[in-house]
Amino acid sequence: MESTGNWSTSAGWLPGVSAVSYGGDYNPEQWPEELWPEDVELMRQAGVNLVSIGIFSWAMIEPRPGEYDFGWMDRLFELLHAAGIRISLGTPTASPPAWFFHEHPEARVVTRDGTTLGFGSRGMASPSSPAYRRASTSIATALAKRYGSHPALAVWHVHNEYGAPVSECYSDESVRAFREWLRDRYTSLDALNGAWGTAFWGQRYVEWEHVSAPAVSASVVNPAQRLDFARFTSDALLQCFIAERDAIRTECPGVPITTNFMAGTCESVDLWKWADEVDLVANDHYLVAEDERSQVGLALSADLTRSIARGRPWLLMEHSTSSVNWQPRNLAKRSGELTRNALSHFGRGADGVMFFQWRASRSGAEKFHSAMLPHAGTRSRVWSEVCSLGGDLGRLAEVLGSEVTADAAILWDWESFWAQDLEWRPSKDLSHRERVNAFYERLWQDQIVVDFAHPEADLSSYRLVVAPASYLLTQSAADNLRRYVEGGGTLVVSYFSAIVDEHDAVHPGGFVAPLRDVLGLTVEEFLPLRAGEKVRLSFDGIVGDVWTDDVALQGAEVVAAYEDGPAAGKPAITRHRLGNGSAWYLSTRLTVDDLSVVLDKAYVDAGIVAGDGPEDLELVRRRGSQADYLIAVNHGTRPVDLPVGGVDLLSGQAGESLKVEAGGARVIRIDKPTD
Ligand code: GLA
């Protein structure tokens, strides 16, 4: 990861921090000040060493425009500092005060259907509002001046979850900013007309003032316009972050600055771009509680976060100790799940583990959300698990800085996902996320750790690259994939990939044209299936659904053909050798189980050996300079004997083989041979 300021990752983890960070969001302004010493005492009992404060405190810090009240925060800093607890200081710009919207009604978010959002919630200022930019950089500057040199300050936590709960804004100010963004991108209206294909449906523009945001219209709005608006939205939010970051850095150059991402759950920000602007990557993740295999979604988010961090350790800024309060059914975590979840994140590269929030709120929208200190107090299961996790993490300091390496990568590109998710696609059953999840789950069950990679990134370190949903694939990304395969890589491409260019225009030459020589085939026509329709493949009795293609071979060999359905007799799964590598194509949707049929063969091409442990055993290796650390999390109901020699840092047990209890976890140090 490149450092963008004076602070540098080469300085290590958070400056002055030599333990795994542990804690959560701390919102003491919701409680009488007499309670704060008790909070801090309990934090010490739980092993807490880092808390995020001030995230929603704008109205407390600046009760009237330009009038600051830092007294309470000064006292809080001193209290935490005296207890040796470090601070992640939030800038409160996700929640501007009522006075701000009273003075600047134009800064309210306008939704795509023209609704102006009211006050009373959070996260509702327009990212393109000049008044909001001024006010947010002023409060960030004031905080940096006040606390920038305080020894308790460990990291800046700018804003909160950019892109949530709303990201797009269609206000007049946003429309003007969008026009400026388009002028920068295209320079001329001719170029914009060409990129947007405005000859279609007579949309040609002759004046910049006529170009607008893609608000709700009579029918489908120009998809290229919508794709550019999605790019603009991500950039507008990023400009808000950069403005605050630069204001802070001017006053406080020595402390890292970050913001909490929602990798894998918020789709409106392009985190590949954002990653270059933060000093370290931080992420929030909440389980989909009703998903019985929610540990797989957690692992996906953690692997995506590590990939965004370019492999460097990252900070889990928020997750939950038990239930959340915003899902349709907010299931509580079962006994041991809190520790398993935390150690899964840790195993996948998180050097800090934090929660929303320290003490459960009595009032407001989130009073039913779990916390480290629940409403039930310290005589509760959650509290004792929180303390036990604090003890566990306290034994893991030597793992800090070690890194996860992956042999396989899954391509991930927000621009492609934005484009694919627009209206009028060839089948409503196409879902980019469903395919990414399916391939990820297959690899997870095979105990193959994956990175996520942008299609134009250097892929040469991976033995296997999977493209489950690369609908938008630029020519230069296709060239990158060609070089990857020619150089000896194994590429697996799923259907509805390489269809359009960066303007959502079908590639010249037709579907998959830029990958035609890589895959050794062309797709003449899409042949989507009816709801529930299944097609049989000439292989192992497997069936596909949702999709088939009319594939014409141009050098690829057929691995399986369709036995029935609209593509009967045509290739279903193919393999093409190119240079030193091979490229596979799957033209139908296979279940997670049936994906093995293709991936087991691709693993052979790639020289990857799948794990042979039980499928509920999560195994990840972090590599350090002196030792490797195997993090084993048993999500199953039976104990597993791990034939791995080493020392379990959690229990101190050593042996040539270690048992991982049902629902339990180990962090095993495996010393490197000395020679
Ligand atoms: C998000 C927010 C927090 C809180 C949690 C609840 O992550 O950042 O402020 O609302 O969700 O799950």
Side-chain angles (χ1 to χ4, degrees):
M1 181 177 68
E2 292 293 310
S3 171
T4 47
N6 295 354
W7 181 82
S8 147
T9 48
S10 63
W13 185 229
L14 304 175
V17 172
S18 53
V20 177
S21 301
Y22 184 50
D25 285 16
Y26 181 35
N27 300 302
E29 63 269 40
Q30 296 175 13
W31 297 91
E33 203 165 327
E34 300 79 71
L35 209 65
W36 299 0
E38 180 189 316
D39 276 333
V40 171
E41 177 48 34
L42 290 173
M43 284 176 192
R44 286 166 60 101
Q45 277 181 33
V48 166
N49 55 21
L50 181 69
V51 290
S52 299
I53 65 169
I55 300 169
F56 299 107
S57 307
W58 196 339
M60 301 283 293
I61 297 167
E62 191 181 3
R64 292 173 192 283
E67 261 180 38
Y68 295 103
D69 175 4
F70 288 115
W72 66 275
M73 196 174 258
D74 290 353
R75 295 191 293 281
L76 184 62
F77 256 81
E78 293 317 316
L79 193 64
L80 291 165
H81 182 46
I85 296 169
R86 304 293 300 279
I87 293 172
S88 143
L89 182 54
T91 66
T93 53
S95 196
W99 59 253
F100 173 79
F101 290 105
H102 181 76
E103 287 197 354
H104 297 287
E106 79 287 357
R108 293 184 193 183
V109 168
V110 177
T111 60
R112 191 163 178 249
D113 65 1
T115 307
T116 303
L117 300 183
F119 186 71
S121 184
R122 63 171 171 181
M124 60 292 177
S126 166
S128 300
S129 154
Y132 172 67
R133 292 265 179 106
R134 277 194 304 275
S136 53
T137 49
S138 298
I139 187 87
T141 301
L143 283 162
K145 281 187 196 289
R146 186 86 180 179
Y147 302 110
S149 55
H150 197 288
L153 180 64
V155 58
W156 284 96
H157 171 313
V158 171
H159 196 87
N160 191 61
E161 295 187 336
Y162 280 102
V166 287
S167 48
E168 291 188 334
C169 175
Y170 291 77
S171 67
D172 291 345
E173 290 181 332
S174 292
V175 170
R176 278 196 288 278
F178 181 45
R179 260 181 225 137
E180 287 311 306
W181 184 93
L182 290 169
R183 273 180 188 263
D184 276 356
R185 184 173 171 86
Y186 293 110
T187 317
S188 75
L189 272 178
D190 278 352
L192 178 136
N193 280 311
W196 286 9
T198 54
F200 185 80
W201 280 358
Q203 293 170 0
R204 188 168 177 77
Y205 295 101
V206 291
E207 296 291 343
W208 283 103
E209 289 64 38
H210 301 171
V211 181
S212 193
V216 171
S217 190
S219 179
V220 167
V221 172
N222 187 321
Q225 182 182 0
R226 292 201 65 188
L227 177 57
D228 270 345
F229 195 70
R231 292 180 175 119
F232 157 77
T233 297
S234 176
D235 286 356
L237 291 165
L238 181 55
Q239 289 312 313
C240 290
F241 169 77
I242 289 172
E244 285 196 45
R245 180 201 66 191
D246 290 352
I248 293 168
R249 191 168 281 155
T250 304
E251 303 297 331
C252 176
V255 177
I257 304 171
T258 190
T259 182
N260 45 344
F261 294 157
M262 292 168 284
T265 53
C266 172
E267 302 214 329
S268 57
V269 285
D270 181 345
L271 295 180
W272 296 126
K273 271 193 179 180
W274 282 65
D276 293 333
E277 304 295 343
V278 293
D279 289 328
L280 66 91
V281 166
N283 195 49
D284 295 352
H285 181 262
Y286 291 92
L287 296 182
V288 178
E290 286 203 61
D291 178 358
E292 290 185 2
R293 295 185 53 74
S294 59
Q295 65 268 24
V296 181
L298 180 158
L300 186 156
S301 173
D303 285 344
L304 179 58
T305 307
R306 183 189 63 253
S307 305
I308 291 161
R310 319 275 195 249
R312 295 282 304 142
W314 51 278
L315 178 62
L316 177 64
M317 193 68 97
E318 291 179 26
H319 69 319
S320 69
T321 58
S322 188
S323 60
V324 300
N325 60 315
W326 42 265
Q327 294 183 9
R329 292 175 196 83
N330 296 294
L331 308 192
K333 288 191 182 178
R334 303 291 164 86
S335 175
E337 200 173 353
L338 178 159
T339 300
R340 288 197 297 281
N341 289 168
L343 289 178
S344 295
H345 284 292
F346 177 78
R348 290 173 191 276
D351 272 2
V353 169
M354 301 177 74
F355 293 100
F356 175 83
Q357 61 178 333
W358 163 252
R359 187 187 274 272
S361 302
R362 284 190 54 224
S363 309
E366 302 205 285
K367 54 183 168 290
F368 300 129
H369 197 289
S370 61
M372 298 177 81
L373 183 56
H375 290 298
T378 52
R379 287 194 189 172
S380 61
R381 176 184 66 82
V382 167
W383 174 252
S384 69
E385 290 194 29
V386 163
C387 293
S388 153
L389 176 62
D392 284 346
L393 295 176
R395 290 183 270 277
L396 298 179
E398 68 170 83
V399 187
L400 285 183
S402 59
E403 296 186 358
V404 177
T405 49
D407 284 336
I410 293 178
L411 297 185
W412 182 287
D413 179 9
W414 277 275
E415 296 201 4
S416 179
F417 301 160
W418 295 334
Q420 181 175 332
D421 287 349
L422 295 172
E423 307 106 315
W424 285 7
R425 291 339 193 189
S427 166
K428 66 181 272 209
D429 301 325
L430 284 167
S431 159
H432 79 267
R433 191 52 195 269
E434 183 278 332
R435 276 300 81 184
V436 171
N437 289 355
F439 277 91
Y440 182 84
E441 169 128 25
R442 182 67 266 145
L443 288 149
W444 193 96
Q445 288 185 22
D446 292 339
Q447 289 167 342
I448 295 168
V449 174
V450 301
D451 282 346
F452 287 90
H454 188 275
E456 295 189 28
D458 178 4
L459 302 170
S460 55
S461 65
Y462 301 111
R463 292 165 179 270
L464 174 72
V465 170
V466 181
S470 296
Y471 161 71
L472 183 162
L473 195 79
T474 61
Q475 185 60 52
S476 69
D479 294 343
N480 190 39
L481 295 177
R482 181 183 309 102
R483 281 192 299 276
Y484 168 71
V485 175
E486 284 171 344
T490 300
L491 175 69
V492 175
V493 177
S494 186
Y495 56 86
F496 208 51
S497 286
I499 306 301
V500 298
D501 67 9
E502 58 270 39
H503 305 301
D504 197 46
V506 173
H507 281 292
F511 309 139
V512 305
L515 287 183
R516 210 166 270 176
D517 54 343
V518 181
L519 297 173
L521 55 78
T522 185
V523 170
E524 287 188 13
E525 196 178 8
F526 302 142
L527 303 173
L529 302 179
R530 295 193 170 86
E533 183 179 359
K534 294 198 187 311
V535 286
R536 279 186 296 132
L537 274 65
S538 61
F539 199 93
D540 246 13
I542 60 173
V543 294
D545 66 1
V546 170
W547 193 262
T548 59
D549 285 318
D550 183 351
V551 166
L553 297 175
Q554 293 184 354
E557 60 189 277
V558 178
V559 176
Y562 291 106
E563 291 189 334
D564 55 15
K570 304 263 180 174
I573 302 172
T574 62
R575 174 173 179 257
H576 184 231
R577 287 170 197 269
L578 181 71
N580 296 321
S582 62
W584 293 74
Y585 185 66
L586 271 85
S587 63
T588 189
R589 189 175 82 145
L590 300 181
T591 61
V592 171
D593 283 348
D594 286 349
L595 281 176
S596 291
V597 168
V598 183
L599 285 181
D600 284 353
K601 292 177 185 304
Y603 296 160
V604 175
D605 278 3
I608 287 181
V609 180
D612 56 4
E615 75 173 35
D616 284 331
L617 181 69
E618 182 176 358
L619 283 180
V620 191
R621 192 176 278 253
R622 291 185 62 159
R623 297 178 198 279
S625 53
Q626 309 294 320
D628 281 359
Y629 301 91
L630 187 67
I631 293 87
V633 182
N634 186 354
H635 299 280
T637 51
R638 290 178 190 188
V640 179
D641 284 317
L642 256 192
V644 174
V647 181
D648 174 26
L649 299 179
L650 300 177
S651 64
Q653 284 175 342
E656 287 309 305
S657 162
L658 288 162
K659 188 189 290 291
V660 192
E661 298 296 346
R666 301 271 195 186
V667 179
I668 303 169
R669 182 178 63 224
I670 304 166
D671 288 325
K672 296 201 167 164
T674 47
D675 50 21

mmCIF file of all heavy atoms in Angstrom, residues 425-439:
data_model
loop_
_atom_site.group_PDB
_atom_site.id
_atom_site.type_symbol
_atom_site.label_atom_id
_atom_site.label_comp_id
_atom_site.label_asym_id
_atom_site.label_seq_id
_atom_site.Cartn_x
_atom_site.Cartn_y
_atom_site.Cartn_z
ATOM 1 N N ARG A 425 -31.524 -6.184 -18.804
ATOM 2 C CA ARG A 425 -30.485 -7.158 -19.118
ATOM 3 C C ARG A 425 -31.172 -8.401 -19.681
ATOM 4 O O ARG A 425 -32.389 -8.548 -19.566
ATOM 5 C CB ARG A 425 -29.654 -7.489 -17.866
ATOM 6 C CG ARG A 425 -28.753 -6.336 -17.351
ATOM 7 C CD ARG A 425 -28.463 -5.327 -18.358
ATOM 8 N NE ARG A 425 -27.399 -4.383 -18.066
ATOM 9 C CZ ARG A 425 -27.159 -3.319 -18.817
ATOM 10 N NH1 ARG A 425 -27.914 -3.046 -19.885
ATOM 11 N NH2 ARG A 425 -26.176 -2.508 -18.536
ATOM 12 N N PRO A 426 -30.423 -9.330 -20.279
ATOM 13 C CA PRO A 426 -31.098 -10.419 -21.005
ATOM 14 C C PRO A 426 -31.901 -11.376 -20.125
ATOM 15 O O PRO A 426 -32.726 -12.136 -20.649
ATOM 16 C CB PRO A 426 -29.948 -11.161 -21.690
ATOM 17 C CG PRO A 426 -28.787 -10.235 -21.653
ATOM 18 C CD PRO A 426 -28.976 -9.325 -20.491
ATOM 19 N N SER A 427 -31.669 -11.373 -18.823
ATOM 20 C CA SER A 427 -32.490 -12.205 -17.948
ATOM 21 C C SER A 427 -32.474 -11.585 -16.565
ATOM 22 O O SER A 427 -31.411 -11.184 -16.076
ATOM 23 C CB SER A 427 -31.933 -13.634 -17.858
ATOM 24 O OG SER A 427 -32.550 -14.315 -16.782
ATOM 25 N N LYS A 428 -33.630 -11.546 -15.918
ATOM 26 C CA LYS A 428 -33.655 -11.001 -14.553
ATOM 27 C C LYS A 428 -32.958 -11.937 -13.574
ATOM 28 O O LYS A 428 -32.682 -11.576 -12.435
ATOM 29 C CB LYS A 428 -35.090 -10.717 -14.102
ATOM 30 C CG LYS A 428 -35.941 -11.945 -13.954
ATOM 31 C CD LYS A 428 -37.351 -11.606 -13.535
ATOM 32 C CE LYS A 428 -37.446 -11.548 -12.038
ATOM 33 N NZ LYS A 428 -38.737 -11.881 -11.478
ATOM 34 N N ASP A 429 -32.676 -13.165 -14.007
ATOM 35 C CA ASP A 429 -32.014 -14.125 -13.118
ATOM 36 C C ASP A 429 -30.493 -13.981 -13.115
ATOM 37 O O ASP A 429 -29.807 -14.671 -12.358
ATOM 38 C CB ASP A 429 -32.380 -15.556 -13.523
ATOM 39 C CG ASP A 429 -33.887 -15.774 -13.463
ATOM 40 O OD1 ASP A 429 -34.527 -15.191 -12.577
ATOM 41 O OD2 ASP A 429 -34.421 -16.500 -14.323
ATOM 42 N N LEU A 430 -29.968 -13.085 -13.976
ATOM 43 C CA LEU A 430 -28.524 -12.839 -13.954
ATOM 44 C C LEU A 430 -28.208 -12.026 -12.709
ATOM 45 O O LEU A 430 -28.812 -10.980 -12.483
ATOM 46 C CB LEU A 430 -28.111 -12.005 -15.173
ATOM 47 C CG LEU A 430 -28.035 -12.692 -16.522
ATOM 48 C CD1 LEU A 430 -27.924 -11.639 -17.626
ATOM 49 C CD2 LEU A 430 -26.841 -13.631 -16.572
ATOM 50 N N SER A 431 -27.267 -12.497 -11.919
ATOM 51 C CA SER A 431 -26.864 -11.722 -10.743
ATOM 52 C C SER A 431 -25.352 -11.838 -10.603
ATOM 53 O O SER A 431 -24.829 -12.933 -10.395
ATOM 54 C CB SER A 431 -27.556 -12.264 -9.487
ATOM 55 O OG SER A 431 -26.831 -11.863 -8.341
ATOM 56 N N HIS A 432 -24.688 -10.696 -10.712
ATOM 57 C CA HIS A 432 -23.231 -10.772 -10.612
ATOM 58 C C HIS A 432 -22.821 -11.283 -9.238
ATOM 59 O O HIS A 432 -21.917 -12.089 -9.090
ATOM 60 C CB HIS A 432 -22.588 -9.396 -10.886
ATOM 61 C CG HIS A 432 -22.645 -8.457 -9.733
ATOM 62 N ND1 HIS A 432 -23.658 -7.539 -9.550
ATOM 63 C CD2 HIS A 432 -21.831 -8.318 -8.672
ATOM 64 C CE1 HIS A 432 -23.441 -6.879 -8.440
ATOM 65 N NE2 HIS A 432 -22.353 -7.316 -7.889
ATOM 66 N N ARG A 433 -23.547 -10.826 -8.205
ATOM 67 C CA ARG A 433 -23.124 -11.163 -6.847
ATOM 68 C C ARG A 433 -23.357 -12.637 -6.528
ATOM 69 O O ARG A 433 -22.562 -13.283 -5.838
ATOM 70 C CB ARG A 433 -23.854 -10.260 -5.848
ATOM 71 C CG ARG A 433 -23.306 -10.354 -4.456
ATOM 72 C CD ARG A 433 -21.775 -10.146 -4.454
ATOM 73 N NE ARG A 433 -21.218 -10.571 -3.197
ATOM 74 C CZ ARG A 433 -21.043 -9.766 -2.146
ATOM 75 N NH1 ARG A 433 -21.347 -8.486 -2.239
ATOM 76 N NH2 ARG A 433 -20.553 -10.232 -1.028
ATOM 77 N N GLU A 434 -24.459 -13.167 -7.074
ATOM 78 C CA GLU A 434 -24.734 -14.584 -6.830
ATOM 79 C C GLU A 434 -23.596 -15.443 -7.380
ATOM 80 O O GLU A 434 -23.162 -16.417 -6.746
ATOM 81 C CB GLU A 434 -26.076 -14.936 -7.492
ATOM 82 C CG GLU A 434 -26.554 -16.355 -7.270
ATOM 83 C CD GLU A 434 -25.934 -17.385 -8.197
ATOM 84 O OE1 GLU A 434 -25.540 -17.028 -9.340
ATOM 85 O OE2 GLU A 434 -25.808 -18.541 -7.779
ATOM 86 N N ARG A 435 -23.072 -15.085 -8.555
ATOM 87 C CA ARG A 435 -21.981 -15.882 -9.156
ATOM 88 C C ARG A 435 -20.668 -15.694 -8.391
ATOM 89 O O ARG A 435 -19.933 -16.644 -8.159
ATOM 90 C CB ARG A 435 -21.769 -15.507 -10.621
ATOM 91 C CG ARG A 435 -22.660 -16.193 -11.621
ATOM 92 C CD ARG A 435 -22.545 -17.715 -11.658
ATOM 93 N NE ARG A 435 -23.298 -18.380 -10.610
ATOM 94 C CZ ARG A 435 -23.287 -19.704 -10.392
ATOM 95 N NH1 ARG A 435 -22.574 -20.491 -11.165
ATOM 96 N NH2 ARG A 435 -23.978 -20.228 -9.416
ATOM 97 N N VAL A 436 -20.380 -14.463 -7.991
ATOM 98 C CA VAL A 436 -19.155 -14.245 -7.206
ATOM 99 C C VAL A 436 -19.231 -15.091 -5.930
ATOM 100 O O VAL A 436 -18.283 -15.804 -5.565
ATOM 101 C CB VAL A 436 -18.977 -12.751 -6.851
ATOM 102 C CG1 VAL A 436 -17.830 -12.569 -5.863
ATOM 103 C CG2 VAL A 436 -18.717 -11.933 -8.107
ATOM 104 N N ASN A 437 -20.382 -15.032 -5.257
ATOM 105 C CA ASN A 437 -20.541 -15.793 -4.010
ATOM 106 C C ASN A 437 -20.382 -17.295 -4.247
ATOM 107 O O ASN A 437 -19.777 -18.001 -3.443
ATOM 108 C CB ASN A 437 -21.919 -15.539 -3.393
ATOM 109 C CG ASN A 437 -22.042 -14.142 -2.819
ATOM 110 O OD1 ASN A 437 -21.075 -13.386 -2.790
ATOM 111 N ND2 ASN A 437 -23.233 -13.780 -2.380
ATOM 112 N N ALA A 438 -20.958 -17.777 -5.364
ATOM 113 C CA ALA A 438 -20.909 -19.224 -5.619
ATOM 114 C C ALA A 438 -19.463 -19.688 -5.838
ATOM 115 O O ALA A 438 -19.024 -20.684 -5.251
ATOM 116 C CB ALA A 438 -21.771 -19.569 -6.834
ATOM 117 N N PHE A 439 -18.722 -18.971 -6.670
ATOM 118 C CA PHE A 439 -17.326 -19.366 -6.896
ATOM 119 C C PHE A 439 -16.512 -19.226 -5.608
ATOM 120 O O PHE A 439 -15.661 -20.056 -5.311
ATOM 121 C CB PHE A 439 -16.697 -18.538 -8.027
ATOM 122 C CG PHE A 439 -17.022 -19.064 -9.399
ATOM 123 C CD1 PHE A 439 -18.140 -18.617 -10.093
ATOM 124 C CD2 PHE A 439 -16.218 -20.024 -9.998
ATOM 125 C CE1 PHE A 439 -18.447 -19.107 -11.347
ATOM 126 C CE2 PHE A 439 -16.515 -20.523 -11.254
ATOM 127 C CZ PHE A 439 -17.635 -20.064 -11.937
#
